[in-house]
Amino acid sequence: SFSKQTVGSTDLLDVTFVGFAHYGSILSDPEFYGSIGFSFLYAIGTSFLQTVLALVLAFFLSKPIKFRSAIRIILFIPYVCSVVALSFIWQSMLDENFGLLNSILVSMGGEPVNWLKDELGMFTMIIMSVWSGLGYGTILYSAALATVDNSLYEACDVMGANAWTRFRRVTLPCISPTTFYLFVMGMIGNLQAFANFQIMNPTFNGKQIRTMVYYVWTYGFESDAATYGMTYASAAGWITGIIIIVFTFIMFRTQKYWVHYES
C-alpha cells in the first residue's frame, strides 16, 4: 500500500511506501469488525429467508392455480429494478413522519415507528432485500421442482411415506443443487451490500450501520485523503475480498455433506 502525503494537483504522485501498515490499522479497527458482523448478519438473514420463502412460493405456484404466470411476473419485477430506485421507494414508504406505514399506524391509533433504528433497522433492511430478490429464487425453484423424477414420489407412496417424508427424503435432496446455488450466490452478493445501506441509512445504537463495502467506500471517499484515502480503502477492499473468498471456499468444501447431484 502507498500512503498519499499531499492531495494538491501537482503532488498526486508524491507517495510513500508504508508496507502492511494499512492492513494492521484495519485489523485493529473495531469499526471494521463491526462492519463484518453487520455484513454477515444481513447476508445470512437475507439469504436464509429468501431461500425458504422462495421454496414455499415455488411449491404454491407449482399447483394449478389461476393467474400463476402473472404472479410470477409480479414477483420477478423487483429483481430487475435498480437497487437505488427500490431503496428510495422503501425510504419514502418507511419515513417516520410521512411514510405510508406510519400513516396507517397513526390512523389506527398507534404511534409512528422509526423503522431504520437499532435492531429494527437491520430487520427492515433484511425484509427489503428478501422482497427484492424473492422472484429470482422462486423462478429457479419452480424449474428445479419440475425436474424431480415422479417415480421417486411413486416409490414413496408405495412405501406409505407421508408428505413430510416425501419432502425431506426426495424433494430436498433433488433440489439441493439449486438451494446451494441460491444460498452461495445470495451470500456473495449480500456480503457486498452498499447502495441500499447508504440510501436507507439505518442506525444501531445511534451509529450508522456500515457493511464491509460501505466501510471501504467511507474511508476511500469521505475521509481525509492525506490520512487514509484510496490506499487505505484499497487495503480494506482486499481484506473484504479475502473474507468473501474464504467463506465461499468453505461453502464449496462443505457442500458434499448436503448437496446431492445425479450420478
Side-chain angles (χ1 to χ4, degrees):
S1 297
F2 291 86
S3 178
K4 187 182 295 184
Q5 300 300 310
T6 58
V7 294
S9 60
T10 59
D11 298 313
L12 291 177
L13 298 180
D14 184 11
V15 296
T16 301
F17 185 69
V18 297
F20 294 97
H22 285 329
Y23 294 96
S25 298
I26 294 167
L27 294 176
S28 62
D29 185 4
E31 288 190 7
F32 182 68
Y33 290 102
S35 70
I36 295 175
F38 284 130
S39 294
F40 273 93
L41 176 62
Y42 167 76
I44 293 174
T46 300
S47 300
F48 177 77
L49 286 177
Q50 211 168 64
T51 302
V52 172
L53 292 177
L55 180 56
V56 172
L57 285 172
F59 264 110
F60 173 73
L61 294 174
S62 66
K63 308 300 180 183
I65 61 175
K66 292 183 178 180
F67 310 112
R68 181 169 57 180
S69 298
I71 294 174
R72 285 174 175 168
I73 293 173
I74 292 173
L75 286 172
F76 196 73
I77 287 176
Y79 180 76
V80 298
C81 293
S82 166
V83 64
V84 175
L86 295 177
S87 298
F88 276 118
I89 292 172
W90 275 78
Q91 186 182 51
S92 62
M93 184 174 64
L94 299 174
D95 186 90
E96 187 175 3
N97 299 313
F98 309 105
L100 175 62
L101 289 184
N102 279 330
S103 297
I104 295 174
L105 285 177
V106 172
S107 66
M108 297 173 62
E111 295 292 331
V113 177
N114 189 340
W115 299 99
L116 297 173
K117 183 179 180 181
D118 296 337
E119 290 84 355
L120 191 58
M122 179 58 76
F123 180 75
T124 299
M125 297 301 297
I126 290 174
I127 293 301
M128 184 190 77
S129 299
V130 169
W131 170 80
S132 63
L134 192 57
Y136 179 70
T138 302
I139 296 299
L140 290 189
Y141 268 134
S142 296
L145 290 172
T147 62
V148 178
D149 191 348
N150 284 327
S151 63
L152 298 176
Y153 291 126
E154 293 172 357
C156 288
D157 293 336
V158 170
M159 292 185 291
N162 56 29
W164 169 245
T165 302
R166 285 159 51 97
F167 175 75
R168 186 166 58 91
R169 295 294 187 180
V170 176
T171 306
L172 278 182
C174 288
I175 65 173
S176 59
T178 302
T179 302
F180 175 74
Y181 171 80
L182 286 174
F183 189 77
V184 171
M185 295 303 295
M187 286 293 298
I188 293 173
N190 291 322
L191 285 173
Q192 301 177 70
F194 163 66
N196 53 344
F197 279 86
Q198 185 191 32
I199 295 170
M200 301 289 286
N201 193 27
T203 60
F204 183 81
N205 290 336
K207 296 185 66 176
Q208 187 181 35
I209 294 178
R210 291 178 178 174
T211 59
M212 290 187 291
V213 177
Y214 200 168
Y215 178 94
V216 173
W217 182 88
T218 299
Y219 283 92
F221 293 94
E222 287 190 342
S223 299
D224 181 9
T227 305
Y228 296 102
M230 286 295 179
T231 56
Y232 188 92
S234 177
W238 271 102
I239 296 175
T240 299
I242 291 172
I243 291 173
I244 296 175
I245 290 172
V246 170
F247 176 82
T248 305
F249 175 78
I250 293 173
M251 289 296 297
F252 270 89
R253 292 290 293 180
T254 57
Q255 68 168 318
K256 61 183 179 181
Y257 298 108
W258 62 280
V259 181
H260 305 273
Y261 296 99
E262 293 184 5
S263 58

